[in-house]
């Protein structure tokens, strides 16, 4: 373990965790790199080859699968799942000769319980709502409502999902857990 200040943090001998703001129970696996200044919550799992930049924030119980890149300006709330090779951007007009940092970079917010499937690309300046679900290979170019199931390039709403992950019926009820939902200006919410 390099600089992980909390004794309950496990860092693989070939992983690198340079942040001192990492919660108990978090695991950083081989070839993953967490830069100084990143804020990581409790019980996170940062898998092989993942990268978490200095101004990124991960809540509690966030899964960052293999090869995922979480750059400055990205915030993931609690219980977010980032599938393998998810990629966040933070600059809408990048140029090699113009070095942007801090507030010059765009932000992205992934709300509690959201899932981004393998290979999802998230264009900066977007918000992904609570319990939203992006199918593998989605390209998110605009904000995603709560409980929306999105797919495609660009990603569009194809249906609605429950917090348990099941697709909702036409009456917005869950066939798996029985929860019911209602439409709100931000998507859906459980009732």
């Amino acid at each position: 373990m390099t600089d992980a200040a909390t004794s309950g943090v496990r860092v693989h001998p070939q992983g690198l965790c340079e942040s001192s703001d990492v919660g108990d129970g978090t695991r950083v696996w081989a070839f993953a790199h967490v830069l100084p200044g990143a804020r990581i919550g409790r019980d996170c799992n940062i898998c092989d080859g993942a990268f978490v930049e200095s101004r990124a924030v991960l809540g509690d119980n966030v899964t960052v699968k293999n090869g995922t890149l979480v750059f400055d300006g990205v915030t993931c709330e609690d219980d977010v799942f980032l599938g393998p090779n998810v990629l966040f951007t933070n600059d809408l007009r990048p140029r090699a000769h113009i070095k942007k940092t801090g507030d010059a970079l765009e932000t992205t917010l992934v709300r509690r319980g959201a899932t981004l499937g393998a290979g999802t690309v998230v264009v900066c300046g977007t918000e992904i709502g609570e319990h939203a679900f992006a199918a593998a290979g989605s390209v998110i170019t605009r904000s995603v409502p709560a409980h929306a199931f999105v797919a495609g390039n660009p990603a569009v709403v194809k249906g609605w999902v429950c917090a348990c992950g099941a697709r909702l019926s036409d009456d917005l009820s869950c066939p798996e857990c029985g929860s019911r939902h209602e439409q709100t200006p931000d998507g859906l919410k459980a009732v």
Side-chain angles (χ1 to χ4, degrees):
M1 182 184 304
T2 43
D3 261 309
T6 310
S7 62
V9 175
R10 290 189 345 223
V11 179
H12 186 280
Q14 293 179 315
L16 181 57
C17 184
E18 298 179 282
S19 175
S20 60
D21 193 358
V22 181
D24 282 338
T26 288
R27 297 165 314 281
V28 179
W29 294 101
F31 314 111
H33 190 177
V34 178
L35 290 182
R39 292 186 1 224
I40 313 293
R42 290 179 288 105
D43 300 314
C44 292
N45 192 25
I46 302 173
C47 296
D48 290 17
F51 177 74
V52 183
E53 207 166 21
S54 296
R55 291 180 56 240
V57 178
L58 303 179
D60 296 336
N61 196 40
V62 173
T63 296
V64 180
K65 295 304 278 183
N66 303 52
T68 292
L69 305 176
V70 185
F71 292 119
D72 287 349
V74 174
T75 298
C76 296
E77 294 182 343
D78 297 346
D79 303 315
V80 166
F81 180 89
L82 304 176
N85 297 303
V86 168
L87 169 65
F88 291 92
T89 67
N90 62 8
D91 188 347
L92 290 173
R93 294 179 306 279
R95 293 290 193 194
H97 67 281
I98 301 172
K99 306 298 185 210
K100 294 180 186 175
T101 60
D103 292 338
L105 297 171
E106 297 284 332
T107 61
T108 297
L109 176 60
V110 183
R111 294 282 185 189
R112 182 177 60 89
T115 292
L116 302 180
T120 296
V121 174
V122 181
V123 176
C124 54
T126 56
E127 180 177 323
I128 298 161
E130 284 191 7
H131 305 295
F133 196 114
S138 297
V139 178
I140 297 174
T141 60
R142 66 185 135 229
S143 293
V144 175
H147 292 274
F149 173 74
V150 298
N153 178 5
V156 295
V157 176
K158 301 282 188 176
W160 302 98
V161 293
C162 182
C164 76
R167 192 150 186 173
L168 297 178
S169 303
D170 289 342
D171 68 355
L172 302 181
S173 65
C174 179
E176 300 281 326
C177 71
S179 65
R180 301 189 60 74
H181 301 77
E182 67 181 18
Q183 195 77 40
T184 71
D186 298 324
L188 297 183
K189 72 173 186 175
V191 290

